[in-house]
Amino acid sequence: MARRSEHSLEEIKEMILKAAEDIIVMDGLQALKVRRIALEIGYTVGTIYMVFENMADLIMHVKGRTLDELGDFLDEYSPDVPSDQQIVILAKKYLEFANQNYNLWSMIFEHRLSKDQAIPEWYQDKVDQAFVRIEKLLAQLAPGYEQPYVHSAARAIWSGVHGICILSLTDRLSYVEIQKIERNIMLLVENFIRGWVLTSESNH
Amino acid sequence: MARRSEHSLEEIKEMILKAAEDIIVMDGLQALKVRRIALEIGYTVGTIYMVFENMADLIMHVKGRTLDELGDFLDEYSPDVPSDQQIVILAKKYLEFANQNYNLWSMIFEHRLSKDQAIPEWYQDKVDQAFVRIEKLLAQLAPGYEQPYVHSAARAIWSGVHGICILSLTDRLSYVEIQKIERNIMLLVENFIRGWVLTSESNH
DNA sequence: ACCTGAACACCGTTCAAGT
DNA sequence: ACCTGAACACCGTTCAAGT
């Protein structure tokens, strides 16, 4: 025992994160235990505390990964359509990601760190990267509003899309059910934009 | 010890729920432990299992209570204002409740029961009572749309309001910060309604 | 019948001890 | 230096034993 050096610390860290993700995808966040991760990667519990401070730290890193994946997924949007349709497409992609990766996605919002623990800066950056990027994309599509107002509108409509997702989605829905949610998202986004553009025009 | 009969089972149940609520309000759901509840009500842990199946059962009852309180609070809305303003007022009241009772309110959405446990019927009824009532109120304000379409729109805009709340709120925000969130809610609701009424008019 | 509290299984975390 | 695994504190839940 001890001093195996079969894997570098970086490799072990990667193995742990991969194992944790697998467990969450299969059985949800509640099924994530140190001993199970240890078993899955062929090390003992102590090893996990070599590369992560504690469980909360490990979970934050899994959440960070999911945010990265979400960002990458949303970047694959197709820019060869009318502006107002792009928002709908982006919103649909968000729904698709949330549905396909439900246990990982919902974990981002379910898990709250205890009051004394501050949100790590690197994590907050990832949140910003994922969501502010969305807001920027939406803001590009805006008519001649003032910058801060555009930002608010983007944030409002995007929160709205997220609200529909979080209240509608459960573990794994059928295609028909997803289509219903898609229609609700379109309802919200299209009517909002229609009302918004209308106000813009009457201002000029 | 044993056979005290100082309180009826109903009284004990009430004491437990009250203690649990107090703990959650003060220190959040994570601070809720059987032993702490037992200490607070002056009984031992075994007693709690006389009136509740387990912790999950107890938590569901606390969530049910919060839903009742939320419903009562929203019923205090003032009907002596223009229809389109009523939605905004209702949405603002929702934000107010969520902010004032943050730990209880967020618990409704944070806590997920393990996969094997089904949602109790009485709890699902309370959810419907709280949220479908909102949807009905919103639906009343609608122009001459078809019934199912009105219902979808109500659900969409209400999910949107909830989305803004869930992404904006944290433990206890200042009055200024709450006002910012209020403005985002108004932005979403007012523009949605404007766009929606517009479509309605062009259909007739 | 009502309530206790020791006992159990399981959890995250630590750290002296091995190589 | 790297890794183990026993030990600790704490958790939810049970149930034989008291009155």
Side-chain angles (χ1 to χ4, degrees):
Chain A
M1 62 188 89
R3 201 165 176 68
R4 306 197 306 189
S5 296
E6 292 170 10
H7 306 276
S8 71
L9 286 187
E10 270 314 308
E11 283 172 331
I12 291 177
K13 193 165 188 171
E14 178 60 31
M15 288 161 66
I16 292 171
L17 287 172
K18 184 69 178 61
E21 274 179 351
D22 288 349
I23 293 167
I24 293 162
V25 167
M26 285 193 302
D27 300 323
L29 178 59
Q30 355 164 4
L32 189 71
K33 322 273 163 175
V34 239
R35 284 173 178 81
R36 182 163 165 190
I37 297 172
L39 195 77
E40 214 122 314
I41 64 168
Y43 278 81
T44 56
V45 282
T47 307
I48 290 161
Y49 291 86
M50 288 172 49
V51 278
F52 292 103
E53 276 186 49
N54 48 35
M55 262 317 215
D57 182 34
L58 196 160
I59 288 172
M60 288 306 279
H61 279 84
V62 176
K63 297 210 306 187
R65 280 199 161 197
T66 305
L67 285 173
D68 288 343
E69 284 164 34
L70 171 61
D72 291 346
F73 185 77
L74 290 177
D75 276 349
E76 299 166 8
Y77 82 111
S78 46
D80 52 336
V81 287
S83 307
D84 55 332
Q85 283 302 309
Q86 278 187 36
I87 302 187
V88 177
I89 289 176
L90 205 63
K92 281 184 182 174
K93 292 213 79 172
Y94 185 70
L95 171 65
E96 187 186 346
F97 182 89
N99 183 49
Q100 300 283 343
N101 307 277
Y102 181 70
N103 275 347
L104 284 171
W105 171 78
S106 60
M107 173 186 168
I108 295 176
F109 309 99
E110 263 173 44
H111 180 258
R112 263 168 65 201
L113 12 70
S114 44
K115 210 189 288 178
D116 50 329
Q117 284 179 317
I119 298 168
E121 202 176 330
W122 61 264
Y123 181 78
Q124 189 58 52
D125 284 350
K126 283 188 191 296
V127 174
D128 293 349
Q129 272 170 40
F131 285 87
V132 170
R133 167 170 38 190
I134 292 162
E135 292 178 9
K136 275 190 188 153
L137 274 169
L138 299 186
Q140 286 172 11
L141 315 172
Y145 279 109
E146 306 263 334
Q147 190 68 16
Y149 189 63
V150 165
H151 189 75
S152 291
R155 188 172 172 80
I157 190 61
W158 190 256
S159 299
V161 170
H162 171 74
I164 293 178
C165 292
I166 206 113
L167 287 185
S168 307
L169 287 174
T170 54
D171 214 338
R172 272 248 167 183
L173 295 181
S174 70
Y175 180 62
V176 193
E177 288 169 310
I178 291 296
Q179 280 189 314
K180 282 184 194 166
I181 303 175
E182 262 193 10
R183 278 199 292 274
N184 280 338
I185 288 177
M186 286 172 64
L187 196 63
L188 185 75
V189 174
E190 287 175 354
N191 281 314
F192 175 86
I193 293 179
R194 197 176 294 123
W196 203 54
V197 171
L198 191 71
T199 321
S200 165
E201 283 165 357
S202 67
N203 278 351
H204 294 277
Chain B
M1 63 188 88
R3 204 167 174 68
R4 306 197 304 189
S5 295
E6 292 169 11
H7 304 279
S8 70
L9 287 186
E10 269 314 309
E11 284 173 329
I12 291 177
K13 193 165 187 170
E14 178 60 30
M15 287 160 66
I16 293 170
L17 286 173
K18 183 68 177 62
E21 273 180 352
D22 288 348
I23 293 165
I24 293 162
V25 167
M26 285 192 303
D27 300 323
L29 177 59
Q30 356 163 6
L32 189 70
K33 321 274 164 175
V34 239
R35 284 174 178 82
R36 182 163 166 190
I37 297 172
L39 195 76
E40 214 122 315
I41 64 168
Y43 279 81
T44 55
V45 283
T47 307
I48 289 160
Y49 290 86
M50 288 173 49
V51 280
F52 291 103
E53 276 186 48
N54 47 37
M55 260 319 215
D57 182 34
L58 196 161
I59 288 172
M60 287 308 277
H61 279 85
V62 177
K63 297 209 307 187
R65 280 198 160 199
T66 305
L67 285 174
D68 289 342
E69 284 164 34
L70 171 61
D72 292 346
F73 184 77
L74 290 177
D75 277 350
E76 299 166 7
Y77 82 112
S78 47
D80 54 336
V81 289
S83 307
D84 54 332
Q85 283 302 309
Q86 278 187 34
I87 303 186
V88 177
I89 289 176
L90 205 63
K92 282 183 183 175
K93 291 214 76 170
Y94 185 71
L95 171 66
E96 187 187 345
F97 182 89
N99 184 49
Q100 299 284 341
N101 308 276
Y102 182 70
N103 275 346
L104 285 171
W105 170 78
S106 60
M107 173 187 168
I108 295 176
F109 308 99
E110 262 173 45
H111 178 259
R112 263 169 66 201
L113 11 72
S114 44
K115 211 189 287 177
D116 49 330
Q117 284 179 318
I119 298 169
E121 203 176 330
W122 63 262
Y123 181 79
Q124 188 58 52
D125 285 350
K126 282 187 191 298
V127 174
D128 293 349
Q129 274 169 42
F131 285 87
V132 171
R133 168 170 38 188
I134 292 163
E135 291 179 8
K136 275 189 186 154
L137 274 169
L138 298 186
Q140 287 173 13
L141 315 173
Y145 278 110
E146 307 260 335
Q147 190 66 17
Y149 189 63
V150 166
H151 189 76
S152 291
R155 190 173 172 79
I157 190 62
W158 191 256
S159 300
V161 170
H162 172 76
I164 293 177
C165 292
I166 208 112
L167 287 186
S168 307
L169 287 174
T170 54
D171 213 339
R172 273 246 167 184
L173 295 181
S174 70
Y175 180 62
V176 193
E177 286 168 312
I178 291 297
Q179 280 188 313
K180 281 184 194 166
I181 304 174
E182 261 193 11
R183 279 199 291 276
N184 280 338
I185 289 178
M186 286 173 62
L187 196 64
L188 184 74
V189 173
E190 286 174 354
N191 280 314
F192 176 85
I193 294 179
R194 196 176 293 121
W196 202 53
V197 170
L198 190 72
T199 323
S200 166
E201 282 166 357
S202 67
N203 279 351
H204 296 278

